Amino acid sequence: MIDSRPLVDSFGRLHNNLRISVTDRCNIRCFYCMPADNVEFMDRGELLTFEEIERFVRVAAPLGINKLRLTGGEPLVRRNLSELIGRLSTIEGIDDIGLTTNGILLADQAADLHAAGLARINISLDALDPIRFKEVTRREGYEKVLEGIEAARETGFDPIKINAVSIRGLTEDQLLPFGRLARETGIEVRFIEFMPLDADNAWERDRVLFASEIRERLEAEFGPLVARGRTDPTAPASQFEFADGVGRVGFIASVSEPFCGNCNRFRLTADGKLRNCLFSLEETDVKELIRETGTDEQIVEAIAASIHAKAEGHEINTARFIQPDRPMYSIGG
Ligand code: SAM
Ligand code: SF4
């Protein structure tokens, strides 16, 4: 055994948050994530089944995992996702299940997901304009996302958060519309800095719209933003509300203000690899352990080894940085 507390890494960070990718497939093609065409997807036989994911979580929960987030690829293209949520929500110790989705299929599934035990939804939407939406995603679907957001509200999901990746030279004109949306609807809009995890390997620092600049532009239009007390110090977003009390926004400043020191997450990819960091160059294969040969103890050992090997932080801001081979859609963002 590497550590008597298997989910504490060598920098003392306790991990209680597991992000599970259920597929690498997606119904759109955001340029900062996937190639536009000819994507090579995992063979379906490579994907962990719901039973296998459930087994993994049953082993991880007694170690201290209590928060799950399902992601992808687009998790709602995985058939019967609500069945998986139902299975996971019965596992002792799991008290929070979230979903990150592009929202295109949400209108049809929101009620089933909610009934199955899904607590929280983050919807990714980078533009409040169909033309910009298509420029980012290279596909249609803007109206469907709006319908999905409305369905999530009607179903009673609370909170609903919108995640918007902000790209210099492309979505700057969306900042104020998103500010207005936050103020008019009560939805929290979180601006995410563009990270070097794109399939095309075309990330450039110049294209990152930094959180500090976004904040300045919002404040120039809507007045000062006031920091909200952090209820969860491990949350990646710094959260603010406008000084008049109307509207909440957040910033996920992964590039300009890395939050690695408080990281409590690790990831299980759709093909059964454990990743201790988005930017990790190594991963631990647990698929065969989960699938057939492994005992629960061996799975615990694999989790502990992965957590123990976690680096202190990403190196995006250094000359040493190497972009991982797996792009975001295949890791599970
Ligand atoms: N398909 C779902 C969605 O888009 O919400 C879930 C998977 S997606 C990979 C998860 C999140 O990662 C989305 O909010 C997306 O905008 C974000 N993302 C993807 N590539 C990114 C990148 N290169 N930099 C920053 N965020 C990225
Ligand atoms: Fe699909 Fe999400 Fe990647 Fe966009 S960010 S291509 S919606 S997986």
Side-chain angles (χ1 to χ4, degrees), residues 26 28-30 32-34 72-74 102 329:
C26 189
I28 54 178
R29 295 286 183 274
C30 305
Y32 49 69
C33 178
M34 293 185 93
E74 172 47 40
N102 63 30
Y329 72 96

Side-chain angles (χ1 to χ4, degrees), residues 6 44 59 90 96 124-125 140 158 203 223 241 283 286 293 329:
R44 286 186 198 275
V59 173
T90 64
D96 186 336
S124 305
L125 177 64
E140 303 293 342
D158 186 24
W203 180 88
E241 66 184 8
E283 40 191 39
V286 287
T293 54
Y329 72 96

Side-chain angles (χ1 to χ4, degrees), residues 2-310:
I2 292 169
D3 191 304
S4 59
R5 297 172 300 161
L7 299 184
V8 176
D9 72 10
S10 46
F11 301 92
R13 294 170 296 197
L14 177 66
H15 292 70
N16 70 325
N17 189 324
L18 174 66
R19 297 177 79 100
I20 301 171
S21 175
V22 295
T23 181
D24 63 340
R25 288 175 165 72
C26 189
N27 41 10
I28 54 178
R29 295 286 183 274
C30 305
F31 79 89
Y32 49 69
C33 178
M34 293 185 93
D37 296 297
N38 304 321
V39 190
E40 274 185 37
F41 291 113
M42 297 166 187
D43 290 340
R44 286 186 198 275
E46 295 283 299
L47 301 184
L48 294 180
T49 64
F50 288 172
E51 289 78 8
E52 289 162 351
I53 294 172
E54 181 185 349
R55 177 177 182 207
F56 183 84
V57 176
R58 282 194 188 281
V59 173
L63 306 178
I65 291 298
N66 59 6
K67 287 184 81 166
L68 304 176
R69 178 162 290 274
L70 303 182
T71 181
E74 172 47 40
L76 298 187
V77 304
R78 179 89 187 240
R79 204 166 303 152
N80 297 331
L81 190 73
S82 51
E83 183 200 326
L84 176 65
I85 290 169
R87 285 169 177 263
L88 298 177
S89 64
T90 64
I91 297 177
E92 201 178 325
I94 298 301
D95 46 44
D96 186 336
I97 304 180
L99 173 77
T100 299
T101 172
N102 63 30
I104 289 179
L105 298 174
L106 189 54
D108 291 340
Q109 300 188 31
D112 286 348
L113 294 166
H114 194 262
L118 182 68
R120 298 194 295 148
I121 282 197
N122 291 355
I123 300 168
S124 305
L125 177 64
D126 306 320
L128 288 171
D129 165 294
I131 295 168
R132 282 276 178 279
F133 177 89
K134 195 169 176 188
E135 280 171 343
V136 174
T137 64
R138 285 111 41 120
R139 295 291 186 274
E140 303 293 342
Y142 176 68
E143 297 298 335
K144 288 274 175 208
V145 182
L146 296 190
E147 285 169 24
I149 294 171
E150 200 41 47
R153 282 158 66 88
E154 282 168 10
T155 308
F157 281 104
D158 186 24
I160 297 172
K161 295 179 183 169
I162 290 186
N163 287 345
V165 180
S166 301
I167 312 285
R168 192 185 302 285
L170 182 60
T171 61
E172 280 141 315
D173 61 356
Q174 302 301 307
L175 301 180
L176 299 187
F178 273 122
R180 259 173 235 121
L181 181 85
R183 288 171 66 76
E184 286 166 9
T185 63
I187 291 175
E188 180 176 330
V189 178
R190 306 180 331 155
F191 298 95
I192 305 180
E193 289 180 351
F194 176 22
M195 295 181 279
L197 290 167
D198 55 317
D200 295 336
N201 239 298
W203 180 88
E204 289 174 359
R205 178 172 292 274
D206 289 352
R207 300 215 72 193
V208 182
L209 197 50
F210 293 119
S212 56
E213 298 175 62
I214 301 173
R215 181 176 173 180
E216 273 170 30
R217 293 188 200 198
L218 292 173
E219 290 189 316
E221 179 72 14
F222 304 114
L225 281 165
V226 181
R228 291 165 56 208
R230 280 200 174 215
T231 44
D232 177 3
T234 62
S238 51
Q239 296 170 308
F240 293 83
E241 66 184 8
F242 290 101
D244 62 4
V246 182
R248 294 178 168 187
V249 295
F251 301 102
I252 303 184
S254 326
V255 178
S256 64
E257 296 165 47
F259 34 82
C260 306
N262 287 327
C263 184
N264 67 343
R265 296 145 185 247
F266 68 111
R267 293 175 154 77
L268 180 64
T269 67
D271 57 347
K273 308 289 192 295
L274 274 182
R275 293 183 61 87
N276 57 27
C277 174
L278 271 177
F279 297 98
S280 173
L281 300 176
E282 280 159 23
E283 40 191 39
T284 306
D285 192 346
V286 287
K287 185 173 72 193
E288 293 313 321
L289 289 182
I290 305 172
R291 189 153 278 186
E292 39 195 319
T293 54
T295 62
D296 289 358
E297 290 70 27
Q298 286 174 308
I299 296 172
V300 171
E301 290 286 333
I303 295 172
S306 172
I307 299 280
H308 191 75
K310 181 160 172 155

